[in-house]
Amino acid sequence: MDLGKVETLVKAQQLRDQFDNLEKHTQWGIDFVEKYTKFVKERSEIEINYAKQIRNLSKKYQPKKNSKEEEENKYSSCRAFLSTLNELNDYAGQHELIAENLTSQIISELTRYTQELKTERKSHFHDGRKAQQHIENSWKQLESSKRRFERDCKEADRAQQYFEKMDADINVTKADVEKARQQAQMRHQMAADSKGEYSSYLQKFNQEQNEHYYTLIPHIFQKIQEMEERRIERVGESMKTFAEVDRQVLPIVSKCLDGMTKAAESIEPKSDSKQVVESYKSGFEPPGDVEFEDYSQPMKRTVSESSLSNSRGEAKPEKPSSKSKGKLWPFIKKNKLSLKLGSGPEDFSHLPPEQRRKKLQAKIDDINKEIQKEMDQKDALTKMKDVYVKNPQMGDPSSVDPRLAEISQTIEKLQFEAQKFEGWLAEVEGRLPVKSDPPRRQSGLYETQNNIQTTVNNCAQDRESPDGSYTEEQSSETQIKVPSTEFDDEFDDEETLPTIGTCKALYPFEGHNEGTISVAEGELLYVIEEDKGDGWTRVRRNEEEEGYVPTSYVEVFLDTNAKGAMTYI
């Protein structure tokens, strides 16, 4: 006999009285498979939710279209962050792939296998119960034949004893003795028949019992054992697949992480800082040195050539009632109306020269793109019209004329716009500061006509403010007032001026120069002296802190009821 079969028979003999325990164990095995399937399913759900959250996170921080964030992409750090977000989105896709593979390769397969396992187990234990029931029925038949044989033997003995008693009794008739003899013979015959039947059932039972315990049950147990081994092997394969599903996406995940690292390594601090300089440089030249003004001799105060009033190209009118502090930086006010409306003029005159040049150049480039687009459409329509002329059956040539006329008008308008912006650009480029010795602040008397004429000539040249605003204050009635010979007592102690309004700082201002005050962006201050045309507004933070800030750096809200309040727009 094969050693494997011998081993199986031994195991079957060892477990022949543990049929119920085997049934419980195989049911536990099925429950274990279902438990593992549930575990993988929950892992898959975690991966899906994680991927969804990662995608939402990446989408949340993506720059919005037509927003400031989209403009920030010119910086390498912002571009690196955008690349990281894109790589993170791909990273989320790999976790979705993990969930998909777990579902298709493990969950679906184990669910189907569990149903097959339940069916197979049910079949094996049905055969086992059937075999067990058959051997039990055979045993009952044997026991029944045994009891019948025993009963018939006892009946035969009693009949034999009765016959012998009747035969020995002289008072009993011969007929009664004969009847007793026949009864004893019948009982002996029945006992013999029962003995034969019992012997037959015994032989049959022994044969069936031997087949049951050495053939049938071992065969059923072998099938159950094979079923259990396949179950265990299948679970092991699923656990291996569970790890392989993760391992399969590692190369792509590694590439995503490499992409993030590469994006981080692409950040160029110097390039970003250069971008900031290019974005915000104004093109202004710093003011020159302030020369000594000699007040020891009685003479008329004059304004140095680099002072605020001279930078405007006109002498500052004498203040009749109030005193002012020195204003050292030659800013000219922004157009307050455009500031309040939240948008600058069409020629970008509210910007510094360098920024204005960039804006104008960008506008010209956009217009040229539109012109080229319209020209392409015009060329296409012209070709279509030529085709219609040569092949009238394809269409009416005159149907294209209205559209061609419309495009021609659009091109003319765009060309006019381009010329307008090119004129402004030429004006800006012609007025950009030339690197030279910084202007010196000169102090002394106005030399009557010479200085007056210089002031008049500078009016037109200085209409463009250092921050790029191009003022429209020049007129045929330009008046030049020569200051009186009285000393400007700006530095004298002043009385506290009344508040005439409030202002909000639009930009931060350091205020390093004498007479200025530093402000933070968004800070609210009191206005005590409005801009008199020199580009500076006098503000107060508290009773001890007051000074001048550039008018272009603040948004002023004057109190119309305050004394002396005026609006310069």
Side-chain angles (χ1 to χ4, degrees):
M1 183 179 292
D2 190 357
L3 291 177
K5 292 183 178 180
V6 172
E7 183 180 0
T8 303
L9 291 175
V10 172
K11 291 180 181 178
Q13 291 174 358
Q14 293 173 347
L15 297 175
R16 61 180 180 269
D17 57 345
Q18 298 295 322
F19 194 80
D20 294 338
N21 289 333
L22 280 180
E23 188 174 13
K24 292 179 181 179
H25 176 77
T26 53
Q27 180 60 46
W28 171 85
I30 292 176
D31 294 341
F32 179 79
V33 174
E34 291 178 338
K35 178 181 178 181
Y36 181 75
T37 304
K38 184 179 179 182
F39 159 75
V40 178
K41 184 177 181 181
E42 291 182 2
R43 161 75 192 282
S44 175
E45 292 173 354
I46 290 174
E47 293 292 339
I48 291 175
N49 293 332
Y50 177 68
K52 183 179 179 181
Q53 291 177 357
I54 291 293
R55 284 193 184 278
N56 290 339
L57 179 65
S58 176
K59 183 179 180 182
K60 178 181 178 181
Y61 284 91
Q62 287 284 347
K64 307 297 186 296
K65 292 184 178 179
N66 301 324
S67 69
K68 183 179 179 181
E69 293 180 2
E70 193 173 32
E71 296 178 0
E72 292 174 352
N73 285 335
K74 61 185 177 182
Y75 301 113
S76 62
S77 56
C78 295
R79 293 195 300 270
F81 181 52
L82 180 60
S83 298
T84 299
L85 293 177
N86 293 333
E87 294 292 348
L88 194 63
N89 197 51
D90 296 340
Y91 177 82
Q94 297 309 306
H95 283 275
E96 290 175 343
L97 183 61
I98 289 176
E100 181 180 346
N101 290 339
L102 288 176
T103 301
S104 61
Q105 299 180 22
I106 297 180
I107 299 175
S108 299
E109 291 296 323
L110 283 185
T111 301
R112 179 181 58 81
Y113 176 70
T114 301
Q115 296 300 322
E116 296 176 355
L117 188 63
K118 288 180 179 180
T119 303
E120 183 180 0
R121 173 183 173 276
K122 182 178 180 180
S123 174
H124 294 330
F125 282 98
H126 175 74
D127 293 342
R129 290 192 187 92
K130 184 177 179 181
Q132 194 171 8
Q133 185 66 34
H134 179 75
I135 197 65
E136 289 177 358
N137 291 336
S138 181
W139 171 257
K140 289 178 181 179
Q141 290 179 351
L142 177 62
E143 287 293 317
S144 177
S145 64
K146 179 181 177 181
R147 287 192 298 271
R148 188 181 306 113
F149 172 59
E150 182 182 7
R151 185 179 61 250
D152 290 345
C153 287
K154 290 179 180 180
E155 289 293 332
D157 289 341
R158 282 196 297 268
Q160 183 64 30
Q161 291 175 4
Y162 180 74
F163 167 69
E164 290 177 355
K165 181 181 178 182
M166 292 292 290
D167 188 41
D169 191 352
I170 57 176
N171 296 322
V172 177
T173 61
K174 187 177 180 180
D176 292 335
V177 173
E178 183 64 23
K179 184 177 179 181
R181 186 182 64 80
Q182 291 178 356
Q183 186 67 24
Q185 289 178 350
M186 183 184 68
R187 291 296 178 182
H188 280 291
Q189 184 62 40
M190 290 178 63
D193 294 339
S194 297
K195 181 180 180 180
E197 184 179 357
Y198 171 64
S199 176
S200 175
Y201 275 114
L202 180 62
Q203 184 179 1
K204 178 182 178 184
F205 174 76
N206 288 332
Q207 182 179 356
E208 290 178 350
Q209 180 177 249
N210 184 72
E211 183 179 1
H212 177 80
Y213 285 107
Y214 289 93
T215 304
L216 190 59
I217 291 299
H219 180 68
I220 294 174
F221 280 4
Q222 184 179 5
K223 289 183 177 179
I224 294 175
Q225 181 180 352
E226 292 173 354
M227 178 189 72
E228 274 293 287
E229 291 175 353
R230 288 197 305 271
R231 177 189 67 80
I232 296 171
E233 182 180 6
R234 193 62 172 269
V235 171
E237 292 175 354
S238 298
M239 291 181 177
K240 184 179 179 181
T241 304
F242 184 84
E244 288 297 324
V245 165
D246 263 354
R247 185 174 285 109
Q248 289 172 1
V249 302
L250 286 180
I252 307 300
V253 171
S254 180
K255 288 184 179 179
C256 294
L257 298 178
D258 290 342
M260 295 180 190
T261 304
K262 185 177 180 181
E265 292 173 349
S266 68
I267 295 177
E268 300 176 353
K270 291 186 178 180
S271 176
D272 285 0
S273 62
K274 186 177 179 181
Q275 287 280 357
V276 175
V277 174
E278 290 295 325
S279 298
Y280 297 109
K281 69 178 180 180
S282 63
F284 294 149
E285 284 288 342
D289 296 337
V290 178
E291 293 188 357
F292 176 75
E293 298 185 10
D294 191 357
Y295 291 93
S296 62
Q297 299 178 5
M299 55 186 175
K300 295 182 180 180
R301 292 283 314 282
T302 59
V303 184
S304 62
E305 69 177 39
S306 60
S307 64
L308 294 176
S309 59
N310 198 36
S311 67
R312 297 274 303 179
E314 58 183 15
K316 182 177 180 181
E318 181 183 2
K319 295 182 180 180
S321 60
S322 63
K323 302 175 183 179
S324 63
K325 294 186 177 180
K327 310 172 183 60
L328 302 180
W329 190 261
F331 282 105
I332 301 302
K333 65 179 180 179
K334 284 187 179 180
N335 190 314
K336 293 185 181 179
L337 178 59
S338 65
L339 191 62
K340 292 180 180 179
L341 294 177
S343 60
E346 186 182 14
D347 61 352
F348 304 108
S349 60
H350 63 295
L351 298 175
E354 184 66 23
Q355 301 303 317
R356 183 185 182 195
R357 184 188 65 79
K358 290 181 180 179
K359 288 287 186 180
L360 290 172
Q361 185 63 56
K363 186 68 176 178
I364 292 172
D365 293 340
D366 292 341
I367 294 175
N368 288 334
K369 289 180 182 179
E370 291 294 327
I371 291 176
Q372 185 60 43
K373 181 178 178 182
E374 295 294 332
M375 291 293 292
D376 293 341
Q377 292 185 12
K378 184 177 180 180
D379 292 342
L381 288 174
T382 303
K383 291 179 181 179
M384 183 184 297
K385 183 178 180 180
D386 293 341
V387 172
Y388 288 169
V389 170
K390 295 178 181 179
N391 302 283
Q393 68 276 10
M394 297 182 66
D396 184 10
S398 60
S399 62
V400 186
D401 293 338
R403 179 58 180 160
L404 283 174
E406 181 182 351
I407 292 177
S408 299
Q409 292 178 0
T410 303
I411 293 175
E412 290 179 2
K413 291 180 180 179
L414 291 173
Q415 290 175 343
F416 176 77
E417 286 289 319
Q419 291 175 1
K420 181 172 63 175
F421 282 97
E422 286 173 355
W424 286 329
L425 179 61
E427 179 183 358
V428 173
E429 291 177 343
R431 297 176 187 274
L432 282 177
V434 180
K435 291 185 178 180
S436 61
D437 294 336
R440 295 182 178 180
R441 294 181 181 267
Q442 298 178 356
S443 175
L445 297 172
Y446 277 99
E447 297 297 332
T448 59
Q449 296 299 327
N450 291 335
N451 287 341
I452 293 174
Q453 186 62 38
T454 302
T455 305
V456 173
N457 292 337
N458 287 339
C459 282
Q461 295 179 2
D462 289 324
R463 288 171 62 206
E464 184 180 359
S465 65
D467 65 351
S469 64
Y470 189 79
T471 60
E472 301 296 337
E473 298 178 3
Q474 184 186 18
S475 67
S476 60
E477 299 179 358
T478 304
Q479 297 179 358
I480 307 301
K481 294 184 179 181
V482 179
S484 64
T485 58
E486 297 178 359
F487 287 100
D488 189 351
D489 50 357
E490 292 177 359
F491 301 101
D492 295 340
D493 294 337
E494 297 180 3
E495 298 178 357
T496 303
L497 297 177
T499 300
I500 62 173
T502 59
C503 66
K504 178 182 179 181
L506 300 174
Y507 315 100
F509 178 67
E510 297 296 336
H512 296 306
N513 296 326
E514 181 183 357
T516 61
I517 184 174
S518 61
V519 295
E521 182 177 353
E523 184 178 0
L524 296 176
L525 302 165
Y526 294 103
V527 178
I528 58 176
E529 187 180 49
E530 59 182 322
D531 186 358
K532 299 300 182 180
D534 51 17
W536 292 86
T537 298
R538 191 174 180 181
V539 299
R540 177 188 296 134
R541 181 177 287 109
N542 49 49
E543 293 183 359
E544 290 78 17
E545 292 186 81
E546 65 178 48
Y548 287 89
V549 295
T551 305
S552 58
Y553 278 51
V554 295
E555 183 175 5
V556 180
F557 306 97
L558 293 178
D559 185 358
T560 56
N561 296 325
K563 184 178 179 180
M566 286 185 63
T567 304
Y568 286 84
I569 299 180

